Structure formats: structure tokens, C-alpha cells
Amino acid sequence: MEIQLPNGLSFKTPTFPGRVVARAVLVIAALVVVFSSWFTIEPEEAGLVMRFGRYVRTVPPGLHLKLPRPIEAVVKVPVERQLKEEFGFRTESSAGSRTTYSQEDLSAESLMLTGDLNVAVVEWTAQYRVRDPYKYLFKVRSVQKTFRDMNETVMREVVGDRSVNEVLTVGRQEIAAEVEQRLQALCDQYENGIKVEQIVLQDVNPPDAVKPSFNEVNQAQQEREKLINQARADYNQIIPRAKGQAQQTIEQAEGFATDRVNRARGDAELFVKVHAAYQRAPEVTRRRMYLETMGEIYPKVKKKVVLDEKLKGILPLLPVAGAAEVKP
Amino acid sequence: VKEIRVTVAVIAAVLAIVVLSSSLYTVAETEQVIVTQFGKPVGKPITTPGLKVKMPFTQVVHAFEKRFMEWDGDPNQIPTKDKRFIWVDSYARWRITDPLLFFQRLRDERGAQSRLDDILDGETRNTIAKNELIDLVRSTNRPFVVADDVAELSQPEAAERVEHGREKLTKEVLENARRRTGDLGIEILDFRIKQINYVEAVRQEVYARMISERKRIAERYRSEGAGEAARIAGEKDRQLRVVESEAYRQAQEIRGKADAQAADIYAAAYNRDAEFYRFLKSMGTLRESIDPETTLILSTDSELLRYLSSAK
């Protein structure tokens, strides 16, 4: 074919015989058919095949064949992958060992009213899986956004039935469990094909403005413990010792008692023996004992005065050795 | 002649393709369609997916969403019955139940969303204005779990009873809204309150209240600590006295018993001969009491010196 251009030039397009063109078209068509007839499904995925828009089958991971476009099309859903939604915070990257969080203000998501009309800040993560890819794709539009809305609703329902004290302290475990269970029920009701794996409560805090006073309560609690512990320590320092000392007093008394009784017994025994001997010869023994005693005493005494009964009216002095000086 | 034949064949093929592509259409799994002919609906809405046939050129296909759709309300500032201003953010699930009616009444999704805005915002407002805040926040009258001895004094409003509860009130909104959407070809499946928050001014008040409440709790902890410490100190003093006096009592008792026993023993022995005992004891006492400083005055009459004057 010859083409005339306005400026006088002309050129010829190469002419192909009709058969060549037809062949080329056929080859290209064949290639398209072949390349759109197989597909692979990754290990964590499931493939849903649709024929003219109608769902026909689900295929497991591996290499699969299908009818070429536009007859059949495949949608892949990651059914085995654990998916995660974060509320009140966003993980920006967890590359390496350090996780960074977005600085964005997400308090609207995490600020909530408690059952006693106080305010708490609750951050949590919902981990879930696509259990039923058919429902996931074909029952609910914007599944992810819906799921987020559901999370916020259920969390607030559960927190709304608890006091702020409960939310911040003992209720954590229970809240997570109840949210999980209710959220699953809601997912089943909405038929979104989601299996809630776990609800993890992250930080649960009082609002920033109130935090210092909460810390003050903790501090006061510590203070209380400290005071009580000190008093107990004091108690423990004194009472066991006093008990020991009391025991000591009692033991000493016991000792005294034994001593006293034994001595009494000894003395009594001695008396009985001596008395027995005395009774055999009372006069002599008595005299002997008296004289013995005097014999013992007499040498000890330095100043001795002997009075003769018969020398009446005279007071004779008998100076004995060492008694020169007279004491008044 | 041959060229003409080829040309005719090509034209026929092109025509066939055009007609076919205009008379075949697919309905996706997520769609439902109605077919109109010059604006007039033809046949029933098609809700099953797959390859479908229609009249070429004259019939037009209108596709609508078959899945549940989201409705996300704008946060509204609404006063409750007890005159508290709160932000309410809600969401709803809805779907097109009658595509034809939907097409006639609302035309498209945008129309539907704005009608839902009107209906749901209005119903939300009505219900909230008729109820107290506590009824919107709580679902049940579940008693709060008391974590420690402090919770009982911390919550003045915990005593408020919930009359209906959040679940019942959102159901009420849903019922009322449903009644008004019946003739629109749509169905609201669920309505929920996503967020309730105090408006800024009220929030500051609530924070102030929370702070004062915490302060009260802290004070109570402190005074409890001091009280308990005093109690323990008192207990300590008492215990100390109990222990000491008990020991004293026991010791005295033991001593007393021993003394009594000793006295009995002595008495039993010495009673054999009281006179001899007196003699013996005097001898002993003499022996012990006389020391070198003592001056001994003796009469020659005495037993010892009897023989000093004469040997008889």
C-alpha cells in the first residue's frame, strides 16, 4: 500500500499476505489463552474461582488450571495469614529489634467512658483470620472498616459495663475474653467470615490529665504498706524478745524452786540424821555440840571479857591482845 | 468476487460480536441487577450471579450492591435527658433488599446514604434525648467487681440503676429507623453506637472529678496506713505487757509453790523435836554471826568457863 503525505513524500507500508496476519493473530490469542489458564496459590492463600462472575470453586495452595479469561477469574484470599488491627496506636515499623509507633493522636479510638461515667484510655489489638473466604468476599462490603467499627463498638460496650477501677486493674483479662467472645458473635451475625483469634489489651490507662492523681493513689498505697510494714517490723523486733525473756524469767523461777526444795530436803535430811544421833545420847551430844561451837567461835574473837559472878560491884577489865584502843 | 465475499464475512463477524456483547452480560457474586427497556423495568431483579442474556441495544442493565454495606454517621453533639452534652458516633449495616424499589426511590447509593443520615441521625437524637447518659454507657446492671477496699467509696454514680441499657436503646433506634425505611427497598440490619465521648467542657469537669476522687482514695490509703500502724503499735504494747506479766505471774507461782513445799519439808523434819531444832539453829547462827570485831562478854557461870574458876 502506498501512502501519500501532504508534503509530497510518499512511502510504502510493507504488505503481508493475509495468511501471515491471521497466523500472528492466532498465535497471540493462543498465548493469551495459555497464560491466563494457569495460576498459583501461595501456601497461606485460598483461591476462589469465578465463572462469569459466579463463584464456582475454591482451590487450595499449588498450581491450578482454569478456563481462560474472560470466562474464569481468580481471587486470592490469605486465609492462613494472621491479620491484625490496632486501636489507639499504630505500629509504624517493626524492622529489626525496635518497634516504632506512630506519633499520631488516636485518642478518639482509645478514649472511652466507663460504667461509672469516668474516662479510660484503652489500646488494644485484634488478631484475626479469614475463616470463610466466600463470606469474606461476598457477604460484606468494606470488611476491614466494618471490622474496625465492630471492635470499637464491642470494646466500648464491655468497658461501659465496668468501673474505671476494674478496667485499670483486675478487669483486663476478663475484658479481653468478653470482647473476643462478643466480637466473634457479631462477626457470625454479620457473616463476614472472620475468625477472631485473640484480643490483646495493650496499654490501659487513665487519661493523661488524670494520670498524676492515679499515681498519687499508687504512692499512697505504697506509703500505707510502708507504714504497716514498719509497725510490723517494730512489733517483730520487740515481742519475740519479750517472749524469750519471759521464758527466761520462768526458767529462773523453776531453777529457784528446785534449788529451794532441794535445799529444804537436804536441811531436813541433815536434821533428821543429827536428831537421830542426838536421841541416842541427848545430854552428851548437846553439850558436845555447844562446846564445839564455842571452841570454834572463841579463837575468832579478839576482845573477850570474862565476868566472875562472885565479884559483885566490880567491873574487871581483861585486856586481850590487839584490843588496846577502845572504841566508843 | 472473492474479495467481496471476504468483506461480507468480516462485516458479519463484527456485527455478530457487537450484538453478542450487547446482549450478554455478567452478574458478579456481589451484585444484583435490574434491566430496563427505555427506562421501564423489565422482568424481576436478577440476584443470582453468572452469565445472562438480554435484548441487545434496547435494554440497559443497572447493577446494585448485594452485600451488606456500611453507614458511618458523622459524630453528633447531642444532649442526654440529664443534660449532659456528648459526642455520639454510630454506624449501621444495611443492604438493598429490593433493587427495583431502591432504584425508583433512591436512585443510587449516594441517595441512600443521605436518606440514612436523615433517618438514623434523627432517631439517634430522639432516643438519646429521652434517656440518661448512664443508660447509653452501660448495658446491664452488672455489679462492678471490687478490686480492693477502696472501690466502694470511689463511685458515687455507680449506684445509678440502668433502666434500659445501651443494647436496648440501640435496638430501639434500629426498630424506629427500620419502620421508616420499609418503602425504600433497603433494610437496616444493625445499628450500633461506636463512640460516646464527653464534649470538651464536660470532659474537663469529669477529669476534675476523677482527680478529686483519686485524691480522696489516696488520703484514705494514707490514713489507713497510719491507723493500721497505730493499731499494730498498740497490739505490740499490749502483747508486751501480757507476755511480761504472764511470765511474772508464773515465776511467782513457781517460787511460791517451792517455798510452800520447802516450808512443809522443814516443818515435817523440825517438828520431830522443836527444842533440839532451836538449839541447833542457835549454834549455827552463833557460828555465822560472830566475827573478830565482836566483843564477847562471858560469865564464869557459862558452860564454857565453868571450869575457869574451879575444877569441880
Side-chain angles (χ1 to χ4, degrees):
Chain A
M1 199 192 290
E2 195 170 330
I3 293 174
Q4 290 281 223
L5 292 174
N7 54 12
L9 291 168
S10 72
F11 65 91
K12 265 189 175 175
T13 54
T15 52
F16 297 106
R19 217 182 267 172
V20 174
V21 174
R23 264 188 207 157
V25 167
L26 271 179
V27 167
I28 290 169
L31 279 176
V32 168
V33 166
V34 167
F35 277 103
S36 70
S37 299
W38 55 267
F39 60 96
T40 54
I41 299 294
E42 299 296 326
E44 78 274 17
E45 294 173 335
L48 276 74
V49 181
M50 268 147 321
R51 186 177 301 154
F52 293 120
R54 188 163 64 89
Y55 164 80
V56 281
R57 63 183 186 275
T58 303
V59 295
L63 187 66
H64 297 281
L65 290 176
K66 66 174 180 69
L67 293 175
R69 274 168 181 276
I71 304 171
E72 284 192 341
V74 187
V75 180
K76 297 169 186 176
V77 180
V79 284
E80 296 299 334
R81 196 181 302 155
Q82 196 178 64
L83 305 166
K84 193 172 86 170
E85 287 294 326
E86 295 171 332
F87 299 87
F89 71 104
R90 294 286 183 281
T91 308
E92 237 161 29
S93 73
S94 45
S97 54
R98 205 194 221 137
T99 308
T100 55
Y101 296 100
S102 159
Q103 296 301 308
E104 202 183 334
D105 179 28
L106 294 161
S107 58
E109 271 176 16
S110 53
L111 212 61
M112 54 189 78
L113 265 63
T114 57
D116 45 11
L117 300 183
N118 286 324
V119 180
V121 178
V122 181
E123 295 176 357
W124 76 101
T125 314
Q127 292 167 357
Y128 65 101
R129 241 162 24 87
V130 178
R131 177 162 57 186
D132 187 336
Y134 177 82
K135 283 181 179 169
Y136 184 75
L137 287 177
F138 306 130
K139 283 288 188 177
V140 178
R141 195 172 69 178
S142 333
V143 183
Q144 207 197 2
K145 184 175 185 310
T146 308
F147 186 64
R148 288 194 70 85
D149 287 351
M150 289 156 76
N151 260 286
E152 290 205 30
T153 298
V154 171
M155 183 57 80
R156 280 177 173 77
E157 268 173 22
V158 172
V159 167
D161 239 353
R162 283 167 172 72
S163 70
V164 70
N165 284 325
E166 226 178 318
V167 173
L168 294 175
T169 55
V170 286
R172 287 179 68 114
Q173 208 71 35
E174 208 188 298
I175 289 172
E178 193 171 338
V179 167
E180 197 176 309
Q181 182 228 322
R182 283 207 201 188
L183 190 60
Q184 186 60 63
L186 202 60
C187 283
D188 295 346
Q189 190 195 327
Y190 287 4
E191 297 185 277
N192 60 8
I194 284 178
K195 162 92 176 77
V196 180
E197 302 259 272
Q198 204 185 4
I199 299 292
V200 184
L201 285 197
Q202 311 283 350
D203 282 349
V204 180
N205 283 317
D208 281 341
V210 188
K211 249 184 206 166
S213 57
F214 269 81
N215 288 338
E216 199 186 318
V217 171
N218 283 342
Q219 228 169 24
Q221 216 165 358
Q222 300 291 327
E223 225 169 280
R224 177 180 71 169
E225 298 309 313
K226 200 179 103 193
L227 279 171
I228 292 173
N229 283 338
Q230 269 172 357
R232 288 231 171 89
D234 206 20
Y235 181 97
N236 286 337
Q237 199 184 12
I238 302 272
I239 296 303
R241 194 173 65 195
K243 279 188 179 156
Q245 283 170 341
Q247 201 57 41
Q248 184 190 21
T249 308
I250 292 168
E251 292 295 339
Q252 278 172 345
E254 294 279 9
F256 166 85
T258 311
D259 179 84
R260 185 104 175 87
V261 171
N262 281 342
R263 276 177 202 283
R265 286 218 175 95
D267 289 350
E269 204 57 37
L270 175 73
F271 179 80
V272 168
K273 290 273 158 35
V274 170
H275 183 247
Y278 165 75
Q279 270 180 332
R280 283 194 287 276
E283 198 54 34
V284 171
T285 308
R286 196 181 176 101
R287 189 143 297 155
R288 178 184 58 81
M289 287 172 98
Y290 173 76
L291 291 174
E292 263 175 23
T293 306
M294 284 303 150
E296 240 172 84
I297 293 166
Y298 203 68
K300 278 198 230 155
V301 177
K302 288 179 186 158
K303 214 187 258 177
K304 299 178 184 80
V305 178
V306 178
L307 292 178
D308 194 341
E309 294 286 304
K310 288 163 198 155
L311 304 174
K312 290 206 172 101
I314 301 161
L315 196 72
L317 284 173
L318 217 171
V320 186
E325 71 275 37
V326 177
K327 281 178 188 163
Chain B
V1 180
K2 195 193 166 195
E3 275 187 15
I4 292 170
R5 256 216 204 130
V6 169
T7 312
V8 168
V10 167
I11 290 171
V14 168
L15 261 178
I17 288 171
V18 169
V19 169
L20 222 59
S21 69
S22 158
S23 60
L24 288 178
Y25 64 97
T26 60
V27 176
E29 198 71 47
T30 61
E31 289 174 338
Q32 48 189 341
V33 303
I34 56 169
V35 178
T36 57
Q37 188 166 344
F38 304 120
K40 192 176 149 257
V42 179
K44 284 188 173 167
I46 295 155
T47 53
T48 51
L51 190 64
K52 312 283 170 182
V53 187
K54 67 174 177 68
M55 289 291 290
F57 313 120
T58 57
Q59 295 189 340
V60 181
V61 174
H62 304 269
F64 300 101
E65 184 67 54
K66 200 169 74 177
R67 294 177 289 184
F68 298 145
M69 283 172 280
E70 69 285 2
W71 172 84
D72 192 356
D74 282 332
N76 270 320
Q77 194 179 323
I78 306 172
T80 61
K81 190 185 170 194
D82 43 345
K83 300 284 170 285
R84 287 187 222 232
F85 280 85
I86 51 172
W87 287 104
V88 178
D89 191 2
S90 50
Y91 80 84
R93 303 283 109 201
W94 64 283
R95 66 172 176 183
I96 301 163
T97 44
D98 185 340
L100 185 56
L101 206 55
F102 177 82
F103 182 60
Q104 288 167 338
R105 298 278 147 85
L106 301 165
R107 196 86 203 163
D108 56 15
E109 253 181 60
R110 254 200 16 233
Q113 292 284 6
S114 89
R115 276 306 285 277
L116 283 171
D117 282 347
D118 296 346
I119 294 169
L120 288 170
D121 282 348
E123 291 301 339
T124 308
R125 203 170 274 278
N126 286 348
T127 300
I128 287 179
K130 273 191 303 191
N131 285 283
E132 304 199 342
L133 178 58
I134 191 80
D135 259 323
L136 291 163
V137 172
R138 301 205 61 183
S139 304
T140 61
N141 272 317
R142 172 188 172 279
F144 297 141
V145 172
V146 177
D148 40 41
D149 44 349
V150 150
E152 96 258 7
L153 71 83
S154 65
Q155 311 309 343
E157 293 185 77
E160 275 182 42
R161 301 311 285 176
V162 178
E163 235 176 282
H164 306 292
R166 184 186 195 132
E167 249 158 271
K168 218 178 132 194
L169 294 181
T170 51
K171 279 225 172 67
E172 184 184 310
V173 173
L174 180 62
E175 294 303 322
N176 292 340
R178 263 187 180 161
R179 226 167 283 145
R180 292 171 61 184
T181 53
D183 61 344
L184 299 176
I186 61 173
E187 183 195 9
I188 305 171
L189 287 122
D190 200 13
F191 169 86
R192 304 254 170 175
I193 296 172
K194 199 164 63 172
Q195 296 179 2
I196 293 178
N197 275 321
Y198 293 117
V199 300
E200 191 53 32
V202 180
R203 188 183 303 165
Q204 293 312 323
E205 275 170 41
V206 170
Y207 285 176
R209 195 194 70 214
M210 285 177 83
I211 288 168
S212 66
E213 205 169 273
R214 290 297 121 180
K215 293 231 187 274
R216 213 166 65 217
I217 296 171
E219 281 312 316
R220 155 123 180 203
Y221 273 136
R222 285 200 197 96
S223 105
E224 258 180 12
E228 181 68 9
R231 192 190 64 73
I232 292 169
E235 160 93 19
K236 181 196 76 186
D237 289 347
R238 184 180 67 85
Q239 196 67 25
L240 190 62
R241 279 178 186 262
V242 166
V243 166
E244 280 177 354
S245 63
E246 179 69 13
Y248 178 79
R249 184 186 65 73
Q250 279 189 35
Q252 289 303 92
E253 200 177 304
I254 290 164
R255 275 172 218 266
K257 248 191 219 159
D259 272 339
Q261 205 181 344
D264 284 349
I265 291 167
Y266 281 128
Y270 298 159
N271 262 342
R272 286 163 188 240
D273 189 340
E275 207 286 319
F276 180 62
Y277 167 69
R278 204 182 309 136
F279 170 72
L280 258 187
K281 189 74 189 169
S282 312
M283 290 301 106
T285 307
L286 276 178
R287 207 177 277 142
E288 279 157 24
S289 60
I290 301 223
D291 62 9
E293 302 304 316
T294 315
T295 302
L296 203 58
I297 298 168
L298 291 165
S299 156
T300 45
D301 266 356
S302 71
E303 190 89 15
L304 185 67
L305 297 180
R306 177 176 295 170
Y307 304 104
L308 194 65
S309 44
S310 76
K312 108 174 137 105

